[in-house]
Amino acid sequence: FPHFKSLKELYMDDARIALNTSFLQIIGESMPSIQYLSLSNSSVSNNSRTLDQGLCPLVHLQELHMADNDLRGSLPWCLANMTSLRILDVSSNQLIGSISSSPLIHLTSIEDLILSDNHFQIPISLEPLFNHSRLKIFDAENNEINAEIIESHSLTTPNFQLQSLLLSSGYRDGITFPKFLYNQHDLEYVRLSHIKMNEEFPNWLLENNTKLRQLSLVNDSLVGPFRLPIHSHKQLRLLDVSKNNFQGHIPLEIGDILSRLTVFNISMNALDGSIPSSFGNMNFLQFLDLSNNQLTGEIPEHLAMGCVSLRSLALSNNNLEGHMFSRNFNLTNLIWLQLEGNHFVGEIPQSLSKCSSLQGLFLSNNSLSGKIPRWLGNLTVLRHIIMPKNHIEGPIPLEFCQLRILQILDISDNNISGSLPSCYDFVCIEQVHLSKNMLHGQLKEGTFFNCLTLMILDLSYNHLNGNIPDRVDGLSQLSYLILAHNNLEGEVPIQLCRLNQLQLLDLSNNNLHGHIPSCFDNTTLHERYNNGSSLQPFETSFVIMGGMDVDPKKQILESFDFTTKSITYTYQGRVPSLLSGLDLSCNRLIGHIPPQIGNLTKIQTLNLSHNNLAGPIPSTFSNLRNIESLDLSYNKLSWKIPYQLVELNTLAVFSVAYNNLSGKIPERAAQFATFNESSYEGNPFLCGPPLPICISPTTMPEASPSNEGDNNLIDMDIFFITFTTSYVIVIFGIVAVLYVNARWRRRWFYLVEMWTTSCYYFVIDNLIPTRFCH
């Protein structure tokens, strides 16, 4: 670059060239006057020596941005020569070392020092930087914060007055509030998170810094009461003290002292008492989160009237009671309403119909009653309707058909009745949870079966009947289909095999008949079809307006029930994404078990019990290397238990009880050593531990790969043929004798008459008086 001798600024962010030592040396030699250099998210070599050899000549630099480059090692000492450096950003790298013994202690002209997302060791006291009188912004989030005190510095108070301080660590013990903060008076942004300090809330920090706009002390193990400053603070916009151990009441005067707050989050503490009505004085409040405490009482009417800017109200998992809202309601800008896990009663209030911007309605685990309001269908931007475990009744309103961008519908475990409307044509719906209700009628092809984005469909524990629609294969993204405990009929549709994303199928406790399809290995139940699209917890967020540095998130952890290991579990969060299984139990299925079921190598649960399945247990089941629960009980399976099943090292529950199995039980090795006789009972021709030992092991038929029919002790076909033939011969012999000999024929009829008469009088004399005498 021969013509760039006087170049002052060079921007090379997101460059896709090899920024190695040679290239940086060219910059150093060709641009000696450069003052601003930005190489963020570029292809810099991951060795910090690249900086040492390439950037050291740039002694006139005032700003250096090297974020997101995967730099490793410690900072080069030649940085100490950049005495004019005002801004240094090396965030989001892999840099190490203590700042107490780094070139940073010599950069006394530094104003903005950004070290976040590295592996630096940083003393909470910041004593190594006390001499940096110009320092205004210090960002060292996600590093190792320790309680180290450096003795080599004589200053007891810092020369700097910070505007922004951001520190967080891996939650270490033995750390106290930085003492230098007592001498800071110009702070505007403070975020000290995930530092185990075990101290009380620093209300003095608010009193000393009247310009403070954001204070975040998340997960710091703060204890004691939540005390506010004596005087009102007009500049504070954000206060987040969630995930601590505060006790006692929320101060009654909070709405007067912090009247300009936009965001207030004190969730996940141990606060009790009622919600102060002074919250209604916070006219600018947009985000209020008091969830996961022990608050009691009702929602103050003044809050519902005065917080006119409120967009998110989270009061979930407390002990609140009474009706949700009265008619005096002015929260018309609500986007999220989270009231789950309380004791609210009554109907869903009509006042919520004013919330035309409502996107999330979370009312689960309360005692709400009445019908689902029809006006919910008019809130056309609703994305999440989640209100299971209440006492809501009546049908699903037809107006729900207007909610075209709905993503999650969960009204399970209520008293919902009626049939499923067939007008559903949701564009974005991903989860439908309607289990444990009183829905009836047939599964119509227009009910959720046009939803190409649907991943979970749970209609279990209802009274649905009819066939599973053939158009089920149109649900191309469906991962979990749960239709258990209904009255469904017909055969298991082969179209289910076209659901390539299918991870869990539960059709148990219905009236399905016919054969088990042999094509389930075309789904993600087979590991070779695992494409990484497993369901993850649904996370949604929105940004608080007004330039606030906050992005509130809510993780929606929907759940469903599934029986495995003979126990019904409720699966929630990330666990369902790891669960895979097939449950066709308690139906009327017939025929042999398809050997292809052994190709479902991803499943943890296979339950085919309580059917009419016959034939052998496929030896291919030895391929089910992730299986934890295998239940084939109460069928008509015959022949031997394949000895290859001993290879299933993850098997925890195994049952082949009440079948027609015979021969020797596989060797009691590995997991099979843990199964007792209840796993094999009801098979009279099985023997070997834990059942009685086989009488003559040498004569026991052995499994033959070429002819599995030899595995049984008795050839059942020959047995039935011989028995039937003998029975017919005996009957014909008796008829022939009676026909030829008239004397024997009369004697025979006399005996029949005497036997009939004796039985008649026996019934009259012994049975009738005891049943009808009273």
Side-chain angles (χ1 to χ4, degrees), residues 2 13 239 324 440 482 662 739:
D13 295 344
L239 179 57
M324 288 167 50
H440 59 78
I482 307 173
S662 59
Y739 180 79

Side-chain angles (χ1 to χ4, degrees), residues 141-243:
E141 288 194 298
N142 298 316
N143 282 282
E144 183 178 333
I145 310 299
N146 53 54
E148 176 188 2
I149 302 296
I150 307 300
E151 302 293 343
S152 58
H153 296 271
S154 58
L155 292 177
T156 58
T157 59
N159 289 331
F160 54 71
Q161 282 292 323
L162 292 177
Q163 293 179 357
S164 177
L165 174 63
L166 291 82
L167 287 173
S168 66
S169 73
Y171 205 67
R172 294 175 64 99
D173 289 323
I175 297 177
T176 60
F177 260 108
K179 297 297 185 289
F180 74 88
L181 285 178
Y182 286 97
N183 303 106
Q184 300 298 299
H185 303 284
D186 294 334
L187 284 168
E188 297 181 16
Y189 303 93
V190 176
R191 187 155 64 230
L192 302 175
S193 299
H194 312 292
I195 305 173
K196 193 173 184 180
M197 291 187 280
N198 293 310
E199 295 195 25
E200 293 189 357
F201 178 70
N203 56 350
W204 48 265
L205 194 61
L206 293 172
E207 293 175 349
N208 294 346
N209 295 271
T210 57
K211 299 178 183 178
L212 192 61
R213 296 177 59 84
Q214 296 187 24
L215 176 59
S216 181
L217 303 172
V218 177
N219 196 26
D220 286 333
S221 294
L222 300 178
V223 297
F226 177 64
R227 291 194 177 97
L228 295 175
I230 299 175
H231 305 291
S232 63
H233 199 294
K234 299 298 183 182
Q235 297 300 319
L236 194 64
R237 298 293 183 268
L238 180 148
L239 179 57
D240 189 347
V241 289
S242 59
K243 299 181 182 179

Side-chain angles (χ1 to χ4, degrees), residues 174-405:
I175 297 177
T176 60
F177 260 108
K179 297 297 185 289
F180 74 88
L181 285 178
Y182 286 97
N183 303 106
Q184 300 298 299
H185 303 284
D186 294 334
L187 284 168
E188 297 181 16
Y189 303 93
V190 176
R191 187 155 64 230
L192 302 175
S193 299
H194 312 292
I195 305 173
K196 193 173 184 180
M197 291 187 280
N198 293 310
E199 295 195 25
E200 293 189 357
F201 178 70
N203 56 350
W204 48 265
L205 194 61
L206 293 172
E207 293 175 349
N208 294 346
N209 295 271
T210 57
K211 299 178 183 178
L212 192 61
R213 296 177 59 84
Q214 296 187 24
L215 176 59
S216 181
L217 303 172
V218 177
N219 196 26
D220 286 333
S221 294
L222 300 178
V223 297
F226 177 64
R227 291 194 177 97
L228 295 175
I230 299 175
H231 305 291
S232 63
H233 199 294
K234 299 298 183 182
Q235 297 300 319
L236 194 64
R237 298 293 183 268
L238 180 148
L239 179 57
D240 189 347
V241 289
S242 59
K243 299 181 182 179
N244 284 290
N245 299 313
F246 291 125
Q247 297 177 333
H249 296 3
I250 301 175
L252 296 177
E253 67 278 10
I254 185 171
D256 300 318
I257 294 179
L258 304 177
S259 60
R260 308 282 291 184
L261 273 181
T262 302
V263 176
F264 181 55
N265 187 352
I266 198 170
S267 63
M268 298 182 124
N269 281 279
L271 297 167
D272 54 26
S274 59
I275 300 174
S277 61
S278 65
F279 275 119
N281 298 332
M282 296 181 176
N283 298 330
F284 302 98
L285 192 64
Q286 295 185 32
F287 180 91
L288 176 61
D289 191 347
L290 310 179
S291 62
N292 294 282
N293 282 284
Q294 301 166 19
L295 301 174
T296 57
E298 300 184 357
I299 300 176
E301 185 174 326
H302 186 43
L303 185 155
M305 287 296 295
C307 295
V308 294
S309 302
L310 201 61
R311 304 179 71 197
S312 174
L313 176 61
L315 305 176
S316 53
N317 299 315
N318 281 287
N319 294 313
L320 300 173
E321 58 189 8
H323 291 266
M324 288 167 50
F325 298 109
S326 65
R327 293 183 179 180
N328 297 322
F329 179 87
N330 205 22
L331 306 181
T332 56
N333 292 310
L334 272 181
I335 295 178
W336 305 106
L337 179 60
Q338 301 167 219
L339 303 180
E340 64 267 34
N342 284 287
H343 307 292
F344 291 115
V345 297
E347 299 182 356
I348 300 173
Q350 173 77 25
S351 53
L352 286 178
S353 62
K354 303 176 184 178
C355 303
S356 59
S357 300
L358 193 65
Q359 296 182 20
L361 182 61
F362 307 92
L363 306 176
S364 58
N365 288 84
N366 280 287
S367 298
L368 299 174
S369 57
K371 296 183 178 181
I372 301 176
R374 299 175 60 180
W375 49 259
L376 277 178
N378 299 328
L379 305 179
T380 54
V381 296
L382 264 176
R383 295 179 180 271
H384 315 297
I385 299 177
I386 299 178
M387 42 191 185
K389 297 184 179 179
N390 281 286
H391 307 299
I392 301 172
E393 58 189 16
I396 300 174
L398 287 174
E399 286 76 9
F400 272 26
C401 300
Q402 302 168 197
L403 302 176
R404 294 181 55 82
I405 62 173

Side-chain angles (χ1 to χ4, degrees), residues 344-615:
F344 291 115
V345 297
E347 299 182 356
I348 300 173
Q350 173 77 25
S351 53
L352 286 178
S353 62
K354 303 176 184 178
C355 303
S356 59
S357 300
L358 193 65
Q359 296 182 20
L361 182 61
F362 307 92
L363 306 176
S364 58
N365 288 84
N366 280 287
S367 298
L368 299 174
S369 57
K371 296 183 178 181
I372 301 176
R374 299 175 60 180
W375 49 259
L376 277 178
N378 299 328
L379 305 179
T380 54
V381 296
L382 264 176
R383 295 179 180 271
H384 315 297
I385 299 177
I386 299 178
M387 42 191 185
K389 297 184 179 179
N390 281 286
H391 307 299
I392 301 172
E393 58 189 16
I396 300 174
L398 287 174
E399 286 76 9
F400 272 26
C401 300
Q402 302 168 197
L403 302 176
R404 294 181 55 82
I405 62 173
L406 191 67
Q407 292 177 327
I408 299 179
L409 174 63
D410 187 350
I411 49 177
S412 59
D413 208 348
N414 279 285
N415 299 315
I416 306 299
S417 58
S419 59
L420 295 171
S422 59
C423 62
Y424 281 48
D425 190 20
F426 299 112
V427 177
C428 304
I429 198 160
E430 297 183 9
Q431 300 184 31
V432 174
H433 302 264
L434 300 177
S435 63
K436 297 181 181 178
N437 280 292
M438 297 184 290
L439 296 168
H440 59 78
Q442 297 187 356
L443 289 178
K444 302 174 184 178
E445 293 192 352
T447 306
F448 304 117
F449 290 93
N450 296 326
C451 306
L452 301 180
T453 58
L454 189 63
M455 292 189 291
I456 293 182
L457 179 58
D458 185 358
L459 304 177
S460 58
Y461 293 92
N462 280 287
H463 307 296
L464 301 171
N465 55 36
N467 298 341
I468 300 174
D470 292 338
R471 290 190 59 183
V472 67
D473 58 350
L475 304 177
S476 57
Q477 299 300 314
L478 193 65
S479 297
Y480 302 86
L481 179 59
I482 307 173
L483 303 177
H485 292 271
N486 280 287
N487 299 314
L488 298 176
E489 302 171 343
E491 298 186 356
V492 179
I494 197 172
Q495 287 84 353
L496 291 173
C497 299
R498 298 173 189 165
L499 300 176
N500 294 332
Q501 306 297 325
L502 191 63
Q503 192 167 321
L504 186 144
L505 176 63
D506 187 355
L507 306 179
S508 61
N509 290 275
N510 282 287
N511 294 314
L512 301 173
H513 61 265
H515 297 264
I516 298 175
S518 60
C519 53
F520 281 124
D521 53 354
N522 293 330
T523 67
T524 49
L525 297 172
H526 193 310
E527 278 186 335
R528 74 166 182 256
Y529 283 90
N530 185 15
N531 57 8
S533 62
S534 298
L535 181 74
Q536 298 295 329
F538 198 101
E539 189 176 81
T540 186
S541 64
F542 68 93
V543 178
I544 295 295
M545 304 302 291
M548 300 303 295
D549 183 19
V550 63
D551 185 16
K553 287 183 170 62
K554 175 174 176 60
Q555 194 175 68
I556 303 173
L557 303 177
E558 287 302 282
S559 62
F560 56 80
D561 293 343
F562 183 66
T563 301
T564 181
K565 301 180 183 179
S566 304
I567 302 174
T568 300
Y569 295 97
T570 298
Y571 293 91
Q572 188 179 50
R574 294 186 181 275
V575 177
S577 66
L578 306 175
L579 179 66
S580 182
L582 177 63
D583 191 344
L584 304 177
S585 61
C586 300
N587 281 288
R588 296 186 287 116
L589 301 175
I590 61 173
H592 290 205
I593 301 175
Q596 292 85 349
I597 297 294
N599 296 330
L600 308 183
T601 51
K602 189 178 179 180
I603 62 174
Q604 290 97 31
T605 296
L606 176 61
N607 192 347
L608 304 178
S609 64
H610 294 86
N611 280 288
N612 295 312
L613 300 171

